[in-house]
Amino acid sequence: MPRIVVSGVPTTASRHIAVLDGMRALAIIGVIGYHTRPSLLPGGFLGVTLFFVVSGFLLTRSMVNLLERLRFSYPHFLRGRVRRLWPSVLATIAGTAILVYCLAPSLLPKVRGDALPSALFYSNWSFIFRKLSYFQAAGLPSPLTHLWFTSLIMQFYVLWPLLFVLIFQLCRSRVARAAVIGALAVASSLEMLLLYTPGQDTSRIYYGLDTRAAELLVGAALAVLMHRHVDRQDDEFAHDPPHWQFFSRTVHVRGRELRVTGQQLVNALGFALLVVFCVCFAIVDPQSAWLYRGGYLLFALLAAAMIWAGMHSGVFMRAMGAKVCSYIGSRSFSLYLVHYPLLIVLNPATRATPLPWWGYLGQFALILAVGEVFFQLIEAMRGTPWLPWLTRAGDNAEPARETAGERLGRRLTASGNAGVRMLGTAGTRFATLTARLRPGAVVGIVAGALAVLVLMLPLNWQAIAHARAVQLRPELALTAEQARKQLAKPAPAPSPQPEQPKGTDAAQSKGADTAQPQVSALKVPNNLDPSRWQCDAAAQQCSVRMLIIGDSVTAGVAQTLQQHFPQAHIDGAVSRQFATGEDLLAQFLGSGEDPQVIVFALGTNGAATREQAEHVVQLAAGRPLYFVTALAPVDWTAASNATFQEVAAAHPNVGIIDWSALATAHPEYLYDDGTHPNELGTQAYEQQLYNALCPRD
């Protein structure tokens, strides 16, 4: 993440560490891959652990050297950290607000809610108090969600120097200091373990500084252990090299003699750890319980071992410091800041099919280009070279020149008016604070501050967002009557039917079997008897006694369904899980309710297992039962829908209403969250349900 450089300290501690570039590059690739599509790189979130370890290492490394020289000033130190983070964060907020308003206005209320917490570096705790999950943010996640990381890092920057100074003064040896830091890391991991409850939301654990501090502290402990005394001006390991550097053995392999040295073993360790992280990026499940039972600490220790291996000369150090790694690593913070809002806008939830491989490459290229512009305009300090391997312009090579802002402030301070003098003093301090920043960073600070202030105004932001959304998607303004008229227009071509599961009678699915009622559904229950209720095709009304159990989708269309199915019992609730629906079905049927048809519309908020679906069939006790396929921008809906079709194929009295296929073919039926039907979708949902219960004329 942001580099920590101690300017003017001519020691090896300020030298560039090549392995950290490679680790940053690896980390940002993992994070971008995960955010692009979790199934693409499910363990990519572990890149955050790499960033934590690197940040803790660099921060503590710079503090140790300043403390040894008695040059450590907490205000000055903190001011440097703020100067590194705040311009980039504020510019991200401003840019995201503009981007969202122009291209994804439905997200504007989310940006408004997270702008101030992100700007003041407490968004991680804001997410905790609001119980917003990181791993289940589907549909319309806040484009500023990723700034929880910068909030946590800044909190660490504020608190850790105070605690480390105490440790530094009380413990005189490197080992003692590292032991204390290690104990704090273990305590943090134990807190994570104690707070973790299987099956419960992990936001409190994932976002909390106290529970994630272990990863930062592992990097801090490594910095203390690897520190060499300030008097050593040459290579860190030129004096008293470790014993492993003298290791040398001759190994016989199939009659050949191979010489194995300590340096080779360290290089092999580095590459092995690199492979471990690459494999874990591809296979680790973010919901795995073991991650919260020491897993994050384990990965932090592996990351620390990778840093250690890469700080010794050899092929691993050179590989991790290659130009491509150096470039991506140097831009990793900018890439982190810009990638998430771009991906949210580029991959709307209403897109039901994944991009082709070249689409993902195009998005990554765009992120790289925007990240480069952001780096050059906002993040990079004055004197930073265009490319990381070029010669750096020395900030201290010549006396610091007075900036235009400082000159203006000095002139205003000399004014005889007290108000002008105060303004001049404030302007001078601001100019001094931003003296090392590029002009774009100053513009970013002002734009970000203005964006936060504007977003805090007591305006009807929902109405503002809706008005802009209607400009982009006129169907969002349709009334119920207008939606019905639009649906009544003949379609240019029928949408293709999804592939039938094995064991499903295709003729029955299409309603072609003369023994079955001529209703329309992917699969019709064989005991469905429309003659038991009255159907009015003109008014789209049906007198069937129907029990519908669903989630927020059902709740959203409930009023319309009640108008067209006056005898129906409709029960929908936000975030309802499949297991809760099973309990409700048992409760309703146990209370004496005897529906003619049961419609089970769950699966959006969690995967449905085969056992759960079979239990619903058992509870139906032979009654006609419809499963409604689920649609949401999450991975588990496809598996749930496949389960519904398998169960329907095994039970003649079970049918399928394929809302997922209909909405996938018509994304205009959905709001921008890709889950909930708008007015046009609500009418289409009602018509699909009516067609599954009433014969066509």
Side-chain angles (χ1 to χ4, degrees), residues 534-656:
Q534 295 180 347
C535 297
D536 184 348
Q540 286 275 301
Q541 282 201 338
C542 177
S543 64
V544 63
R545 271 192 339 271
M546 177 172 52
L547 173 61
I548 306 179
I549 297 177
D551 47 32
S552 57
V553 174
T554 303
V557 301
Q559 184 175 357
T560 298
L561 293 183
Q562 201 71 69
Q563 294 173 357
H564 294 273
F565 300 93
Q567 303 300 319
H569 181 172
I570 304 171
D571 193 303
V574 176
S575 301
R576 178 172 286 167
Q577 300 292 320
F578 200 91
T580 305
E582 296 176 67
D583 297 337
L584 285 173
L585 179 59
Q587 177 183 337
F588 289 143
L589 297 180
S591 65
E593 191 165 340
D594 185 22
Q596 295 170 313
V597 179
I598 298 172
V599 177
F600 211 77
L602 288 170
T604 300
N605 299 302
T609 65
R610 178 66 182 263
E611 291 74 17
Q612 289 177 318
E614 290 284 358
H615 185 221
V616 171
V617 175
Q618 181 183 359
L619 291 172
R623 296 179 180 88
L625 169 66
Y626 272 121
F627 283 114
V628 180
T629 55
L631 178 65
V634 290
D635 294 332
W636 61 72
T637 54
S640 297
N641 295 339
T643 297
F644 297 153
Q645 295 191 28
E646 291 173 2
V647 172
H651 298 277
N653 70 306
V654 179
I656 299 291

Side-chain angles (χ1 to χ4, degrees), residues 247-291:
F247 176 83
S248 179
R249 291 289 187 275
T250 300
V251 181
H252 295 82
V253 179
R254 295 182 179 181
R256 300 176 61 184
E257 290 187 355
L258 298 178
R259 190 171 185 80
V260 179
T261 65
Q263 186 181 45
Q264 291 174 338
L265 292 177
V266 171
N267 287 326
L269 172 65
F271 282 113
L273 292 171
L274 180 62
V275 171
V276 167
F277 272 99
C278 291
V279 171
C280 289
F281 279 4
I283 65 173
V284 170
D285 182 357
Q287 303 293 344
S288 299
W290 64 271
L291 285 172

Side-chain angles (χ1 to χ4, degrees), residues 46 131 164 177 218 229 314 319 537 563 565 575 623:
L46 292 173
K131 298 182 179 179
F164 182 72
R177 292 167 183 167
V218 166
H229 195 271
Q563 294 173 357
F565 300 93
S575 301
R623 296 179 180 88

